[in-house]
Each structure stands twice: as structure tokens, then as C-alpha cells.
Amino acid sequence: METSFIYQALGIREQECSRVRYEGGKIILGIRTRDDKLYCAKCGSRHVIRSGSTVRRFRSMPIGSRPVILEMTVQRLECKDCGAVQQENIHFVRGKERYSYRMKRYVLDLCRIGTIADVARLVHMSWDTVKDILKAELGRRYTRPNLGGLRHIGIDEFAVAKGHIYMTIVVDLDTGRIVYVGNGKGADALDGLWPRLDRAGCRIEAVSSDLSEAFISAVKEHLPDAVQVYDHFHIAKLMNEKLDKVRRDTYNRETDESKRRLIKGQRWLLLANGDNLSPKAEERLCKALDINRPLATAYYLKESLRRVWWQDDKHDAALVLDDWTGQARESGLKPLETVADTFHRHRDGILAWYDYRISNGKLEGINNKIKTMKRQAYGYRDLDFFKLKLLSLHDATYPFSG
Ligand SMILES: [Zn+2]
């Protein structure tokens, strides 16, 4: 029977098979390079003589559903031209890898349509081996993202493992592509970013971030000409936290049990966007607000804060914001006074939205994907892999969740 097509399929053109055996469901092919195909790995001369050998095993393409292992007698060759004594070159393997190049491409193709766990099961490889193959490929493609043409960026941090491992991501706000991932959530998380922006000759015009002093001062230092825009989602979130603080304070002070119950159940109603409430929900909310003055004030201020981004121009927005901070300061409620001071200190960056209408909205979708990946519980087992997955997120070649 003509069997050479099998070797073609496995990508082992220059070897001959001396024996085939089966071992625990696997096909083991004993192979060695044909004498006429041996050459010096250093100078390429065919003028070589054998000088010992070792046996190495490589994973190859499966035949049917059977895993195939190439058990290769690898020759040590002495070159009569250059004098080198070296192991023969194995053309179907790259570097020190323990699988054939064709097998690697096959695994990568499967990774496009399935999770690592799926692929590992299908090809009878360990989860870690499949992950390492994918990681090397992602590293090759995405370690150094092209930063040319970058103008508007968003910076945000997120927790990888609950509360103790953080990462900072930088997104190209024009394309939604993640261009940088740093460890931690302080200013030093961005240390690697600045030299890259320099080298790529980027002229960043505007940066969107939350009110974190670490990010703000780092951007001011490294991108002195960039306009800083404080992300309105974060500002709304900060306001919601203060509103919730007022609600908790009110609840703790209230002695009437029925009123306490009314306040306690309203958390999500208070924090929801007031424009989207059902009539029934609105009625319940009104009741809670009716019995409690501070809560009503805080709720009203939370709702009216959005008006800052609804104006025709920056000048009108400034009037609305100043009016808002004035009311918050006079509310007699400590959490609101604090947040009024914060907003006033960051007034320029809040209003800068009228110069560059950017926000970290694009980072929300990314955050949801990170949550999915965390649920799969391996996100932080290999942070470098996790980072590469983030950097590859914009490219749909490999599914992020895999
Ligand atoms: Zn040689």
C-alpha cells in the first residue's frame, strides 16, 4: 500500500518510518531522516557523517481521532566542511517545541472556534499546552500594538481577582482597541506607556479617565499638551455612591420602623435613571422621598447632575455645574458637600467634555468581557496570558472567552 500520503499529511517529507505501534490509544510512529536528506545545520553542507543519536518525541497531527506521536531518532552530525558537530535540523518543528509546526497550526485553528478546554479535549493535549501554544501566538501578534495615529485615549483600572489584583488598560477611543495593559492601578501602572507613545511619535490630544489623582497627575506630567476629560460615567457613579451614603445615614437615624422599611427597599430605585422608571416604581420612590427630606434632596441632585452634559455649549454647562455645586454645598448633607468640592476641583476636566466628547463608555463592554473571563476562573492564573487576551480583544480571530 502506498503510505507516503500519510507522511505528507503529517508534514514529515524527509523522514522514513521504521515502525508503527500503539500505546494507550495513541499511534507511535518511529521515524528517522533519510540519509540522503541529512545536512549540516550550521553551513548546509551535505558532506556529513553520523556521530550518535538521541530519541525525541513530538506530537503530530491526529489520524482520525487518534493522537499521533512521532518518535524520532535525531542524528548528531559531524560536518566535513565546517567541522561543526550538531544535531540535525528538524524541519517540521520550530525551536524547542515538542509538537510539529503543522500540529501547532491545527491547534491554533481550533482555538478560533472553541475554548482552550474544548481544544485540549479534542486533540488530547493538556489545557496548559494548548494555552501555551495560543499564548505564544498571541504574544507574536499583539505584544507590541501599533500606536500610530493614536489621538484620543481612555484610561481605566479593573480588578482581575476580587480586590487584590488590579490592571490598568488604555483604549484607543476612536477604534475601541486596547493599546496598553499595565499592572496595578496607580500612576506606575502607566510607566510602560509613556516611552511607547514617544517612540511611536504619538500626539495625544485628549485623555478620558476617572477622577483618580494618580492618573490625572501622571497624564499631566507625561502629556502636558493633552486635554483631560473626566469620564461622565465615573462622575455619575461617584454621585450614586454619595446618594447611597445619604440613604444609609438616613436609614440608620430613622427610628420609625415602617419608615425604615420604606427607605431600605428603595436602593435600586434611587440609583436608577429617573427617566426610565415605570409609573408604579415612581410612586414607590415618591413615597420614600416624601417622608424624608435629605434623601429627596440627594435624589434631586443626582438626577439634575446629568444636565451638565445636556447643554448647548460649554458656557451654559459651566453655569449648570456651578449652580449644582452651590446647591450641593448648601444641602447640609456631608456626603454631598464633599462631592461638590470634588466636582469643583475638577471643574475644567468635567467641562472639557464640550471640547472633546469622549468618555470611557467603550471600556464598559471590555469590562463585561473581563468579568466573563474571570468567571472562567483562570484569568489571573497567568496574568501575561490574560494581558495578551485583552490586547487581542479587538481582533475577532480568537474568541476572548476561550
Ligand atoms: Zn557545516
Side-chain angles (χ1 to χ4, degrees):
M1 187 179 122
E2 172 63 61
T3 53
S4 65
F5 74 93
I6 292 180
Y7 306 115
Q8 288 281 339
L10 298 180
I12 45 173
R13 304 181 304 277
E14 297 173 358
Q15 281 71 30
E16 57 197 0
C17 182
S18 50
R19 61 194 185 122
V20 182
R21 60 180 211 279
Y22 301 93
E23 194 183 282
K26 299 186 181 104
I27 300 169
I28 317 281
L29 298 180
I31 59 168
R32 62 192 299 146
T33 306
R34 294 204 305 268
D35 283 348
D36 62 316
K37 295 291 182 186
L38 290 170
Y39 61 91
C40 169
K42 196 175 174 199
C43 75
S45 163
R46 299 228 174 248
H47 198 191
V48 288
I49 52 170
R50 289 203 230 108
S51 144
S53 65
T54 51
V55 174
R56 288 179 62 190
R57 287 182 152 212
F58 303 101
R59 279 297 306 268
S60 181
M61 295 285 287
I63 296 178
S65 59
R66 293 280 182 107
V68 172
I69 289 170
L70 302 175
E71 197 171 67
M72 180 170 179
T73 304
V74 181
Q75 308 289 346
R76 236 161 82 92
L77 301 171
E78 186 184 332
C79 178
K80 287 292 163 197
D81 285 335
C82 76
V85 180
Q86 280 191 354
Q87 193 180 281
E88 67 169 302
N89 188 35
I90 308 169
H91 69 88
F92 58 83
V93 170
R94 297 289 180 273
K96 298 210 178 303
E97 291 171 354
R98 298 176 60 192
Y99 29 79
S100 71
Y101 180 70
R102 202 165 285 190
M103 182 61 184
K104 179 165 86 175
R105 298 313 312 175
Y106 179 58
V107 166
L108 287 170
D109 283 343
L110 290 173
C111 284
R112 291 165 181 256
I113 52 172
T115 65
I116 293 174
D118 293 337
V119 176
R121 254 196 316 276
L122 190 66
V123 301
H124 304 277
M125 276 181 162
S126 72
W127 189 93
D128 285 301
T129 305
V130 174
K131 186 211 73 180
D132 287 343
I133 290 174
L134 182 56
K135 182 179 172 181
E137 178 71 4
L138 294 178
R140 196 178 65 76
R141 289 176 176 230
Y142 304 111
T143 300
R144 297 254 163 222
N146 178 11
L147 302 182
L150 202 58
R151 294 278 174 275
H152 312 109
I153 57 175
I155 303 175
D156 209 348
E157 86 245 348
F158 62 90
V160 180
K162 224 169 205 164
H164 59 102
I165 301 175
Y166 286 88
M167 281 189 180
T168 296
I169 51 183
V170 178
V171 172
D172 178 346
L173 292 177
D174 296 311
T175 63
R177 183 174 59 117
I178 296 177
V179 292
Y180 176 83
V181 184
N183 295 327
K185 57 174 181 173
D188 49 357
L190 294 168
D191 281 352
L193 173 69
W194 314 120
R196 284 197 205 172
L197 293 179
D198 266 350
R199 274 198 299 273
C202 296
R203 283 213 307 276
I204 304 296
E205 292 170 17
V207 180
S208 169
S209 75
D210 62 12
L211 300 178
S212 141
E213 285 309 325
F215 290 157
I216 293 170
S217 51
V219 171
K220 200 170 282 171
E221 183 188 339
H222 295 278
L223 302 173
D225 298 330
V227 172
Q228 298 206 45
V229 182
Y230 302 133
D231 174 46
H232 59 80
F233 294 103
H234 277 95
I235 291 169
K237 196 171 142 231
L238 188 59
M239 180 59 212
N240 274 351
E241 286 164 16
K242 300 299 178 186
L243 170 60
D244 201 42
K245 175 90 171 68
V246 172
R247 184 190 63 86
R248 276 181 283 125
D249 291 349
T250 313
Y251 175 78
N252 291 334
R253 268 197 310 271
E254 184 58 66
T255 48
D256 182 321
E257 196 47 46
S258 68
K259 288 183 178 176
R260 274 170 76 99
R261 264 204 307 278
L262 203 51
I263 297 166
K264 185 167 189 171
Q266 305 308 316
R267 180 168 187 272
W268 74 268
L269 273 182
L270 287 164
L271 301 183
N273 181 339
D275 294 341
N276 302 333
L277 293 181
S278 70
K280 209 171 159 191
E282 206 170 301
E283 193 190 315
R284 288 213 323 270
L285 179 62
C286 285
K287 262 191 199 154
L289 295 177
D290 265 351
I291 58 157
N292 196 289
R293 190 70 200 237
L295 200 55
T297 307
Y299 179 77
Y300 161 75
L301 282 169
K302 175 219 124 185
E303 284 291 296
S304 62
L305 181 62
R306 278 183 281 144
R307 290 175 47 236
V308 172
W309 291 272
W310 290 353
Q311 304 307 310
D312 288 335
D313 58 37
K314 194 172 176 176
H315 176 259
D316 287 356
L319 295 177
V320 172
L321 180 59
D322 293 343
D323 182 47
W324 190 95
T325 40
Q327 290 184 58
R329 277 172 172 158
E330 285 160 19
S331 65
L333 298 165
K334 193 77 191 131
L336 299 187
E337 288 165 23
T338 317
V339 82
D341 287 343
T342 306
F343 291 166
H344 187 70
R345 262 203 321 281
H346 296 92
R347 185 177 183 273
D348 289 350
I350 293 173
L351 297 172
W353 183 79
Y354 282 89
D355 302 318
Y356 289 93
R357 301 206 168 200
I358 56 176
S359 75
N360 281 2
K362 282 207 170 83
L363 286 134
E364 269 311 294
I366 292 169
N367 242 317
N368 290 335
K369 289 195 164 130
I370 291 167
K371 280 182 195 146
T372 311
M373 197 157 165
K374 280 195 302 196
R375 263 204 302 282
Q376 292 175 327
Y378 64 81
Y380 47 90
R381 273 200 266 159
D382 182 344
L383 285 183
D384 289 331
F385 179 58
F386 190 69
K387 276 190 196 178
L388 287 168
K389 293 283 269 180
L390 289 172
L391 289 166
S392 71
L393 196 54
H394 64 283
D395 181 347
T397 308
Y398 298 105
F400 186 72
S401 59

